[in-house]
Every structure is written in C-alpha cells, then in structure tokens.
C-alpha cells in the first residue's frame, strides 16, 4: 500500500507543482481569505516563446520598412494569442464555476477576468498558463495647473516652441507633412480651427481615426486637456496665422480613454486595447499607411511605488510599441521633487528612450528654470548610469497657451504640456527621416539636448531641453534627409481651370492645367 501511495504521489507531483507555481503567492493568500463564491479580479499571463527583442533585431538586420513593422507584429502576435489562449478560454467557459468580465489581449497575451477561487484552481493546471495573479493595477491621471483663459494671437508663436529650436526646420520647409500623431488623452474637439482640417477622419472612416471609449463620436466633453495637448503638437489657425503647434501640417487620430478622475478611468485591460488599435487602426494588416508615427501619453498607472512593473507585461507592451517603430512619449508627472511620484509605465527603463519621459521647464523665463511640479528621479527600476536617471529630457510645460474647447484658447501648466513639445519635434524629424524608427529619432533628441542645471545628465532636467534643429543635424551626419517639398510622383495635378464662362454645350474645351 505504501508503495502504491508513493507511486501515486510521484504521478501527481508534476500537476501539483504546476498548480503551486502557476498561482502567485499573493493570490493564494487572497483565495484563502475569501469564500468560494467571491469574485477575484485576476490576470492570466499566457505562456509563449515570442521574443520581441529578436524580432526587433530582425527588423533592423533586414531593414524592414518602419510602417510595415506594426503590421508584422500584429499578425504574428494575434496568431500566437489565438493559439495559446484558446484552450484556457475554453476551460473557463466550460467550467461550472461562475466568472465575469472575461477579456483577452493579444498584444501582451494576457486574459483578464473576475473568477472565483474554485475556478482559479480548476484552470491553474492548464499548460499554457504561465502565471495567474491578482489584477492590482489601475490607471491614474496627470493633472494640470494654473488655468486661465487666453486669446487667439495674430501671427503668434508660443515661446515654448521657439525654445526647442524648431524654427530652422520650419524655414527649411518642414512642418510635419505626411506624419500622424495618436493623442492618447481625454478626447479632442475635432472642430477646433487649429487642427480641424487635419483630422484623419476627414479622409478615412471614423473607426480608424477615433478610438472612443466613452463616446463613438469624437469630442472633448471629458476634459479639454486632450484638445490642449493636440494643439501644441499640431495647432495652427490659418486665418490668423496663430501658430500654437509645432508640426502644424501633421495629421492626427485620438482616443478618449483618459478622464479627470481616477475613479472614472477605464479598466487597465481596456486601456491596453487602445495600443492594440494604434498598431492597426483600420483593422487590416495588409495596410500600414494608418499607423501613427508618435503616441503622446499624458497618463500613468496608479500602483505601488517600488519596482512593481519593472518587468512583466507592462514592459513587454512598451517594448512592442517601440519595436513597431513608433515614438512612445510620456509626461513625467506633476509630483515635484518627491521621488515617490515616479510611477509605471514612466519608470520603465528598457533602454535610454523607452519609455521617453518629459519633465517641465518654464520657457517664459530665458533661464529655463525647472517647474516646481515637475517630477524628478531616480527611477525605481533597476539600472545604472543613465538608465537610473529620470526624466529623459525636459520641454516647456509651464504657462503654455494652446487650443481649448471647440474654438477657444487657454494657458495651463503641467508635464502634460511638456510632452507634446517633444512629440511635435518628433513629427518634424519624422517628415525629414521617415525611414527611421521612433527610437532612433528619440535618441537624436536625447543626445543633442541642451544641458541645464548641474553639469551633465541629472534627475531634475535629464539630458536637458530638447533642440529639434540640433537633432536634425545629428541625424543628417549619417542619413540623407528627405527634402521638405519632395513628391514621390513624377507628375502632380495641382489645378484645372476650365476657362469657359457660364454654361456651354460645346463638344470639347481646352482647360488650363497646372
């Protein structure tokens, strides 16, 4: 009998080991403390052998066109998620145990749901499951300060724009033509005259230009914050030549996933879906014209201040956006010199520019002092030298005038106002170097920033204030920029003038063609 029990234990050992190692210790404790009918919010991290760093190396080795990379990633990761998640979802749905809010993500290969302890135990031995843990992340907002109404200024240019030295690029003819920014924010009033004519939905279906969570119709009813940040990136009132934006000929797409209070923010799994959307806005992996060049983020995840999310799917998500060739830019946060303000994903430091976080300076003062609210480092994620320093750079974020409401203007402050300056600069550089990845362009801005504060890189200013023209010259040392008025076609029809007055019944006419 003893021998039989020993053999039975040996046979069961692999399954017991799987169960023990699959459920996190923290979740095990929670399961013991609640009844079997209690729903626990969990995330199931699915095992796969996908290595985004190897795919990124392959892209560089094969010189894969930048826009095409997002399509390749979508196709590959969607197939992986489908094959590895199917048995787990089947287990969940076929169980007699109850569950709620089942959602899955292919970009991080993770399943989210509310499950009972009994269901968690039932599915834990699925060989495709790498880890089951509590869902303990929630989004957070990055607020703004010092709001006061402003007016339109004829022939105006904001001092913050001058401070980052974009005028030489404008003088050459660069203005963000043929580039796209995805504004991950509180929504946008699309009719604002500063950028209404460059909403991509003017030319393509709405669902590939607006990722609405609270509304299927683009608007800024949640907050004018997103309208303001977009204005700094892309704003120009043509009638009065009021230049509130940097890349004033760029196109834009947007979402409304960020709100004005933590309590009203979407669940974390929903916020991740907007990154999935950004990699393939039209839902067709055979096209790539719609992939944004820049994602501007003015939000963060509300979580513990330690090394939480210095690894795991949040890091993987940021690495995937970078591998897709997109510049992913974040506001540093408004917690001032308190190091506890560095949250995820801002504190992730996979490399020097991932994630690329921007602190705030006051460009209305020629000394460019740091804003008192600007978050300072070091980051809590492990790393030495530059990897430990936070933020990466600074940009104007104090008393910045930009778009507000449907046709107004406002002057506000915050690191949310600083990051769009970097995003706008990236769009100008992307027009000049469309064949470069967001990472390569961000490295140029990082390496050419003008030092401020203490000598060298520091935890207040990072590398210093960005210099768009210096970054252009830095890249021009190794790459030939595309001329600003370059047209790929041999022949472009500019206009046709009939030349006939009134209505005629002539069988033919000779138009003037430009």
């Amino acid at each position: 009998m003893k021998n039989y029990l020993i053999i039975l234990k040996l046979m069961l050992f692999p399954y017991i080991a799987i169960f023990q190692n699959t459920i996190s210790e923290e979740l095990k404790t929670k399961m013991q403390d609640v009844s079997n009918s209690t729903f626990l919010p969990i995330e199931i991290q699915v095992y796969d052998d996908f290595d985004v760093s190897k795919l990124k190396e392959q892209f560089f080795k094969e010189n894969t066109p930048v826009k095409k990379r997002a399509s390749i990633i979508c196709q590959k990761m969607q197939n992986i998620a489908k094959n590895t998640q199917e048995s787990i979802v089947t287990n969940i749905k076929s169980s007699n145990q109850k569950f709620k809010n089942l959602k899955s993500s292919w970009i991080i290969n993770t399943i989210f749901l509310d499950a009972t302890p009994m269901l968690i135990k039932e599915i834990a031995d699925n060989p495709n499951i790498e880890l089951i843990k509590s869902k303990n992340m929630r989004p957070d907002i990055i607020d703004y300060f010092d709001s006061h109404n402003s007016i339109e200024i004829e022939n105006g240019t904001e001092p913050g724009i001058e401070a980052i030295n974009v005028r030489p690029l404008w003088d050459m003819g660069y203005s963000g033509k043929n580039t796209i920014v995805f504004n991950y924010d509180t929504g946008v009033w699309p009719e604002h005259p500063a950028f209404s004519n460059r909403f991509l939905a003017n030319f393509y279906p709405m669902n590939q230009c607006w990722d609405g969570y609270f509304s299927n119709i683009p608007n800024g009813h949640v907050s004018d914050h997103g309208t303001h940040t977009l204005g700094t990136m892309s704003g120009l009132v043509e009638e009065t030549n009021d230049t509130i934006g940097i890349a004033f000929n760029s196109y834009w797409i947007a979402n409304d996933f960020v709100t004005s209070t933590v309590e009203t923010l979407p669940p974390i799994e929903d916020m991740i879906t907007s990154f999935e959307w950004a990699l393939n806005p039209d839902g067709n992996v055979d096209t790539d014209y719609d992939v944004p060049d820049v994602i501007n983020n003015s939000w963060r995840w509300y979580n513990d201040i330690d090394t939480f999310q210095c690894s795991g799917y949040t890091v993987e998500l940021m690495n995937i956006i970078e591998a897709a060739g997109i510049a992913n830019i974040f506001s540093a946060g408004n917690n001032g010199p308190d190091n506890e303000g560095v949250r995820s994903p801002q504190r992730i430091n996979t490399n020097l520019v991932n994630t690329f976080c921007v602190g705030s300076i006051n460009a209305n003062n020629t000394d460019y002092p740091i804003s008192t609210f600007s978050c300072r480092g070091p980051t809590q994620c492990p790393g030495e030298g530059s990897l430990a320093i936070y933020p990466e750079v600074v940009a104007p974020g104090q008393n910045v005038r930009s778009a507000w409401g449907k046709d107004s203007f406002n002057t506000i402050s915050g690191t949310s106002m600083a990051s769009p300056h970097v995003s706008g600069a990236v769009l100008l550089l992307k027009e000049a170097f469309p064949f470069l990845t967001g990472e390569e362009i961000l490295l140029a801005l990082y390496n050419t920033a003008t030092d401020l504060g203490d000598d060298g890189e520091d935890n207040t200013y990072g590398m210093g204030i960005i210099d768009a023209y210096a970054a252009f010259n830095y890249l021009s040392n190794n790459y030939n920029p595309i001329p600003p008025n370059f047209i790929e076609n041999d022949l472009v029809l500019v206009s046709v003038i009939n030349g006939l007055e009134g209505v005629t019944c002539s069988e033919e006419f000779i138009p003037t063609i430009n």
Side-chain angles (χ1 to χ4, degrees):
M1 186 65 176
K2 280 186 177 180
N3 290 338
Y4 173 78
L5 290 174
I6 291 171
I7 292 171
L8 182 61
K9 286 181 179 179
L10 289 173
M11 291 172 63
L12 291 174
F13 177 77
Y15 299 98
I16 295 171
I18 289 171
F19 173 83
Q20 293 297 327
N21 293 328
T22 302
I23 302 176
S24 71
E25 293 300 323
E26 184 239 4
L27 180 55
K28 287 177 189 175
T29 301
K30 283 187 177 180
M31 291 166 62
Q32 293 170 356
D33 293 340
V34 300
S35 68
N36 285 331
S37 60
T38 301
F39 286 104
L40 296 172
I42 63 169
E43 56 191 52
I44 303 173
Q45 297 177 12
V46 183
Y47 176 80
D48 63 60
D49 58 359
F50 176 71
D51 188 338
V52 68
S53 62
K54 288 184 179 179
L55 183 60
K56 183 179 170 183
E57 290 175 7
Q58 181 182 337
F59 285 156
F60 276 97
K61 184 178 179 180
E62 298 177 359
N63 199 25
T64 305
V66 174
K67 291 276 190 176
K68 194 68 179 173
R69 299 180 189 192
S71 298
I72 294 172
I73 287 174
C74 284
Q75 204 160 23
K76 185 179 291 290
M77 298 191 71
Q78 286 172 1
N79 288 335
I80 290 172
K82 180 181 178 182
N83 294 331
T84 57
Q85 292 183 18
E86 186 174 10
S87 66
I88 303 170
V89 174
T90 299
N91 285 358
I92 293 170
K93 291 183 176 180
S94 62
S95 170
N96 292 325
Q97 304 300 322
K98 293 182 178 179
F99 63 90
K100 297 188 299 184
N101 303 321
L102 176 63
K103 295 179 182 178
S104 63
S105 168
W106 57 261
I107 199 169
I108 56 173
N109 203 7
T110 297
I111 300 169
F112 299 88
L113 74 154
D114 297 339
T116 62
M118 291 298 293
L119 177 58
I120 295 171
K121 292 174 184 177
E122 281 190 22
I123 64 175
D125 62 352
N126 188 303
N128 286 357
I129 294 178
E130 184 172 4
L131 182 65
I132 306 176
K133 59 184 291 190
S134 299
K135 191 183 81 171
N136 51 12
M137 283 210 309
R138 59 186 174 126
D140 193 8
I141 59 170
I142 298 178
D143 212 345
Y144 59 87
F145 312 99
D146 304 329
S147 172
H148 59 271
N149 292 330
S150 302
I151 60 173
E152 186 176 334
I153 300 175
E154 188 170 356
N155 298 316
T157 303
E158 288 304 290
I161 295 176
E162 300 287 5
I164 63 171
N165 201 20
V166 301
R167 188 165 290 280
L169 296 179
W170 289 352
D171 291 342
M172 284 188 281
Y174 295 108
S175 57
K177 292 185 296 293
N178 301 319
T179 63
I180 303 173
V181 60
F182 172 33
N183 199 29
Y184 197 125
D185 213 302
T186 62
V188 174
W189 292 110
E191 59 266 53
H192 198 287
F195 42 66
S196 60
N197 61 337
R198 284 171 284 105
F199 184 23
L200 215 57
N202 295 334
F203 313 98
Y204 298 102
M206 182 64 72
N207 62 1
Q208 73 178 69
C209 306
W210 170 257
D211 188 24
Y213 184 83
F214 296 99
S215 172
N216 292 327
I217 301 172
N219 62 73
H221 77 272
V222 171
S223 167
D224 290 322
H225 184 283
T227 300
H228 194 279
T229 54
L230 180 61
T232 299
M233 292 183 280
S234 303
L236 169 66
V237 182
E238 294 182 2
E239 186 177 351
T240 58
N241 195 36
D242 186 7
T243 310
I244 56 172
I246 295 158
F248 50 80
N249 271 321
S250 60
Y251 293 99
W252 61 273
I253 59 178
N255 72 4
D256 64 350
F257 279 56
V258 183
T259 64
S260 54
T261 64
V262 174
E263 292 74 21
T264 56
L265 284 162
I268 194 68
E269 57 268 31
D270 289 321
M271 296 195 76
I272 290 170
T273 64
S274 206
F275 284 102
E276 294 180 342
W277 176 83
L279 292 186
N280 187 20
D282 68 351
N284 183 357
V285 293
D286 293 327
T287 62
D288 51 43
Y289 66 90
D290 53 336
V291 178
D293 301 291
V294 175
I295 302 178
N296 188 77
N297 303 270
S298 293
W299 57 274
R300 62 189 180 188
W301 280 318
Y302 192 91
N303 47 45
D304 297 331
I305 301 300
D306 53 20
T307 56
F308 182 71
Q309 289 300 335
C310 289
S311 60
Y313 70 70
T314 306
V315 176
E316 192 75 3
L317 174 63
M318 298 300 125
N319 289 344
I320 287 164
I321 299 301
E322 182 179 78
I326 299 171
N328 204 18
I329 300 165
F330 282 83
S331 302
N334 297 335
N335 298 85
D338 181 4
N339 184 48
E340 292 186 354
V342 182
R343 297 187 183 272
S344 176
Q346 279 84 343
R347 63 169 166 253
I348 292 171
N349 55 355
T350 305
N351 57 44
L352 293 175
V353 295
N354 181 350
T355 55
F356 198 81
C357 299
V358 187
S360 170
I361 54 99
N362 184 359
N364 301 289
N365 183 327
T366 55
D367 292 331
Y368 299 153
I370 194 72
S371 301
T372 56
F373 54 77
S374 187
C375 190
R376 328 241 170 123
T379 175
Q380 287 85 7
C381 289
E384 297 181 356
S386 294
L387 289 179
I389 292 177
Y390 183 93
E392 274 66 62
V393 297
V394 292
Q398 191 166 338
N399 295 329
V400 175
R401 184 180 68 95
S402 187
W404 199 257
K406 297 180 179 180
D407 56 5
S408 302
F409 300 84
N410 201 2
T411 298
I412 60 177
S413 301
T415 56
S416 289
M417 287 60 258
S419 58
H421 283 80
V422 176
S423 296
V426 170
L427 292 167
L428 293 183
L429 295 170
K430 190 71 177 180
E431 180 188 355
F433 304 95
F435 44 83
L436 295 183
T437 64
E439 180 185 7
E440 291 169 307
I441 290 175
L442 288 174
L443 279 170
L445 287 167
Y446 176 86
N447 287 316
T448 59
T450 302
D451 189 30
L452 295 173
D454 296 338
D455 290 341
E457 191 177 15
D458 59 67
N459 283 310
T460 300
Y461 295 92
M463 289 291 281
I465 184 173
I466 63 164
D467 185 322
Y469 184 52
F472 174 87
N473 290 330
Y474 177 91
L475 292 170
S476 297
N477 288 331
N478 295 305
Y479 306 100
N480 293 323
I482 301 298
N485 297 314
F486 175 76
I487 299 173
E488 292 183 353
N489 305 301
D490 293 323
L491 184 66
V492 176
L493 183 62
V494 177
S495 63
V496 178
I497 302 172
N498 191 329
L500 298 175
E501 294 182 3
V503 178
T504 71
C505 297
S506 302
E507 294 182 0
E508 62 181 39
F509 70 97
I510 302 175
T512 300
I513 297 176
N514 296 322

